[in-house]
Amino acid sequence: MKALITGFEKWGEEPGNPTERLVSIFDGKKVNDIEIYGFLLPVAFNRARKEIVSKIEEIKPDIIINTGLAASRLVISIERVAVNIIDARRPDNDGVRPIDEPIDPEGPFAYPSTLPTRRIFERLKSSGIPAKLSYSAGTYLCNFVMYLSLRTVDKLGMQSLAGFIHVPHTPDLAAKKDKPAPSMSIDLMEKALKIALEESAAHYLDKIKSQG
Ligand code: PCA
């Protein structure tokens, strides 16, 4: 089984992006039988669109877990829905700032995450990792990449599961901020992603089996 894990580079006023580290931790590793491809995405709408679509076409992953930083969220947030809207609060790293634009004018208004979000949430909690289910990934790059992942899987008629997980800063990055910010260690984030991969792989196998 193959999994694609994406993260984002630094953007705006943020001192860094912990998901950049997560990508390098997981790239080329194996979790049980899952071969992992880590890929860092630019915080730029036009470039990220091309890159996420071509990575999915090239790798054909069975599981896609996109990750990003949510600097003000207190815990790991497992996103349940991606909406077909871009409303950028700030320009991206290329200076592009779309407002009130659809991600794909031909696509549905929303896609639910196809990862086993509740299973992941419950296992994180029982493993001592603070987490919540979230009903909005925002209207910036993170929602954009989640939507495009689900849209690409849908358009290509793939069986792959896809979704998004937001993480807070790591303590070293939170310490660089002017205002107090929540944080979580990279070790806990790594453990959380392993759990998300294991639960997703189990769910994927159940899904394939149930189709006979
Ligand atoms: N978080 C931003 C974009 C990149 C990232 O890591 C977001 O939540 O949209």
Side-chain angles (χ1 to χ4, degrees):
M1 203 180 292
K2 286 192 270 187
L4 172 64
I5 292 187
T6 71
F8 280 106
E9 64 186 10
K10 166 178 157 35
W11 88 103
E13 306 287 289
E14 298 303 336
N17 197 327
T19 64
E20 190 164 343
R21 256 180 255 171
L22 285 175
V23 164
S24 58
I25 289 171
F26 280 96
D27 185 36
K29 296 260 162 68
K30 267 192 148 192
V31 167
N32 306 334
D33 278 343
I34 317 164
E35 259 176 76
I36 302 168
Y37 297 77
F39 189 65
L40 191 68
L41 287 165
V43 180
F45 288 101
N46 299 330
R47 288 186 289 136
R49 180 191 295 273
K50 287 195 197 107
E51 294 189 13
I52 187 65
V53 173
S54 65
K55 273 290 147 189
I56 295 173
E57 285 172 348
E58 174 196 323
I59 297 168
K60 299 199 173 48
D62 305 295
I63 298 165
I64 303 164
I65 303 183
N66 304 123
T67 70
L69 164 70
S72 60
R73 300 228 189 135
L74 304 176
V75 298
I76 290 197
S77 306
I78 305 150
E79 301 298 344
R80 294 203 89 165
V81 60
V83 294
N84 194 2
I85 298 171
I86 317 174
D87 238 344
R89 268 169 297 140
R90 65 185 81 72
D92 69 13
N93 285 352
D94 290 344
V96 174
R97 191 183 171 199
I99 301 280
D100 290 343
E101 275 186 28
I103 296 168
D104 181 343
E106 325 247 277
F109 175 70
Y111 277 108
S113 170
T114 47
L115 300 178
T117 50
R118 186 164 297 279
R119 250 167 99 159
I120 296 170
F121 167 66
E122 274 160 11
R123 238 193 96 199
L124 292 183
K125 300 278 278 180
S126 64
S127 310
I129 304 176
K132 68 169 190 173
L133 289 168
S134 161
Y135 298 86
S136 174
T139 53
Y140 197 49
L141 259 300
C142 291
N143 172 72
F144 179 74
V145 159
M146 180 181 175
Y147 186 92
L148 284 174
S149 298
L150 288 155
R151 180 78 185 131
T152 305
V153 165
D154 183 17
K155 273 171 92 173
L156 299 178
M158 297 163 79
Q159 295 282 347
S160 328
L161 308 180
F164 200 99
I165 295 180
H166 264 122
V167 297
H169 270 304
T170 45
D172 58 316
L173 294 172
K176 289 191 180 147
K177 302 221 359 153
D178 297 335
K179 290 197 189 132
S183 65
M184 183 182 279
S185 74
I186 196 80
D187 291 353
L188 266 195
M189 292 183 193
E190 183 183 344
K191 200 171 156 199
L193 264 187
K194 274 194 190 139
I195 288 174
L197 281 164
E198 283 171 10
E199 291 301 324
S200 300
H203 183 65
Y204 179 79
L205 292 175
D206 288 350
K207 179 180 150 175
I208 299 293
K209 229 186 271 165
S210 73
Q211 290 169 350

